Amino acid sequence: MTAYAIAQLRDVNVGADIVEYLRRIDATLEPFGGRFIIHGGEPEVLEGAWTHTLIVIEFPDLDRARAWYRSPAYQEILPLRTRNSSGEAVLIQGVDEDHKATDVLAPG
């Protein structure tokens, strides 16, 4: 089942390190079938306040998302981002095409 790497970044210092990170990240995604779904952009805020830059990367499954994040290639460039931004990052499994909102009420 499809999985996602989601990051909410704040205070991004777009300098040489971030530019290098951006130049190299696509090559780290390719072996794991990862692709950007959302990469920043100006959100239309409907409720509350939004102060983050949102990044969503899609993977074929959670195992490949984990393998990408833990890969030597990604771990090598990760400090370029973490030293120059703050925020949160998570991996999460998606839902199937037939998912309905009430499915979350069903016993595990």
Side-chain angles (χ1 to χ4, degrees):
M1 186 170 302
T2 304
Y4 301 90
I6 301 172
Q8 298 182 116
L9 302 179
R10 294 179 301 282
D11 307 317
V12 179
N13 175 23
V14 182
D17 281 354
I18 292 293
V19 169
E20 181 67 14
Y21 176 86
L22 293 172
R23 285 187 178 140
R24 294 173 61 186
I25 189 170
D26 291 318
T28 72
L29 295 170
E30 189 175 328
F32 303 97
R35 70 181 188 99
F36 284 96
I37 300 297
I38 298 170
H39 196 187
E42 202 56 45
E44 180 177 341
V45 180
L46 301 176
E47 298 177 21
W50 187 261
T51 60
H52 298 86
T53 297
L54 182 65
I55 313 297
V56 179
I57 302 170
E58 179 183 67
F59 292 90
D61 55 55
L62 197 51
D63 286 339
R64 284 188 257 193
R66 286 183 186 120
W68 161 74
Y69 188 83
R70 295 173 182 158
S71 71
Y74 186 66
Q75 288 298 305
E76 183 179 317
I77 67 169
L78 180 59
L80 297 172
R81 178 179 59 79
T82 58
R83 286 192 309 249
N84 292 282
S85 65
S86 61
E88 298 76 36
V90 300
L91 298 178
I92 191 164
Q93 189 165 302
V95 296
D96 62 41
E97 292 179 12
D98 299 328
H99 180 83
K100 302 289 185 242
T102 53
D103 291 351
V104 300
L105 302 175

